[in-house]
Amino acid sequence: GCSQVVVLGAGFDSLAWRLHRTRPAVQFFELDHTATQAPKRKALRVEANFNFLASDLAVESPAAILRACPAFSAKRPTLFLAEGLMMYFPKKRVAALLRELATVIRPSAQVLFSFMAAAPDGSITFHGEHAAVGWWLRRQREPFQWGIARADLPAFLETCGLRLVALADHGVLRDQILAPLGLAGLPLAHGECLCHCTSP
């Protein structure tokens, strides 16, 4: 039922671009760093319902950038997507971003984001990953900065003005998506979860 989709930090993911061609009645927005967007802007032909918006999400306000875009409406049902993004920001920045997403749309917004599930000892990492993954992330200066225990997520979301709707981990992905496709045996990294929440 959403007529707007906003993707934060899409990187080279082509999800919004693929969807915008088959859903002309829906407005799509990608907010990402200028340098990251440049190759996509050059390579992808987009229709009128697709909008590239340059933004440094580490410091800039996504709400302000969206409000400055004529194609965006704060009154349309909107889905915000942030996959593989929040774990690279400190907790304070994650909370600030989620609070903005909770208030930029009226009456309510749908927010879907991935996060790292913190282990009992507080560590945030993929479980069962090859040691090279953590080394590569550190070398790229992209270490995980934020994670949260699944049990603590509802209370954290409440402080951001959001309500938990659903939570999915690798088990849900395997059972509900891969298994029906005959792919239940694929190896999956453990540790990253998907959260669906909404503003009241």
Side-chain angles (χ1 to χ4, degrees):
C2 292
S3 57
Q4 291 183 144
V5 175
V6 178
V7 182
L8 306 177
F12 293 126
D13 186 356
S14 64
L15 175 66
W17 177 76
R18 285 181 280 121
L19 291 178
H20 97 282
R21 296 181 298 167
T22 59
R23 292 167 173 81
V26 178
Q27 282 287 332
F28 289 85
F29 306 83
E30 274 198 14
L31 277 69
D32 212 343
H33 197 279
T34 305
T36 305
Q37 278 188 351
K40 292 175 81 172
R41 287 176 179 264
K42 190 173 182 179
L44 303 178
R45 185 178 64 83
V46 298
E47 307 298 334
N49 65 322
F50 191 96
N51 305 269
F52 282 117
L53 301 178
S55 172
D56 183 351
L57 294 168
V59 294
E60 293 185 297
S61 163
I65 291 167
L66 286 167
R67 291 188 183 113
C69 177
F72 180 79
S73 171
K75 297 180 181 178
R76 299 179 70 182
T78 302
L79 171 65
F80 293 94
L81 292 172
E83 298 178 88
L85 176 70
M86 299 300 191
M87 61 277 290
Y88 296 109
F89 293 141
K91 180 180 178 179
K92 184 177 180 180
R93 182 58 182 162
V94 173
L97 286 170
L98 290 176
R99 287 190 192 103
E100 281 205 32
L101 301 185
T103 58
V104 69
I105 296 293
R106 286 290 179 259
S108 65
Q110 303 293 319
V111 181
L112 182 67
F113 69 94
S114 63
F115 69 96
M116 298 304 297
D121 64 359
S123 62
I124 46 175
T125 185
F126 287 111
H127 306 291
E129 70 175 1
H130 192 282
V133 174
W135 173 85
W136 186 85
L137 288 170
R138 289 189 295 273
R139 185 174 176 82
Q140 297 301 312
R141 297 182 181 177
E142 290 191 346
F144 295 149
Q145 297 190 54
W146 176 73
I148 188 169
R150 293 174 55 168
D152 297 334
L153 185 63
F156 173 70
L157 291 174
E158 286 185 13
T159 68
C160 301
L162 294 164
R163 176 180 58 84
L164 179 65
V165 176
L167 192 60
D169 60 9
H170 64 279
V172 174
L173 172 61
R174 186 183 305 282
D175 295 343
Q176 295 186 11
I177 298 177
L178 296 182
L181 298 174
L183 301 173
L186 285 180
L188 292 175
H190 300 188
E192 187 176 11
C193 299
L194 287 173
C195 169
H196 175 205
C197 52
T198 184
S199 54

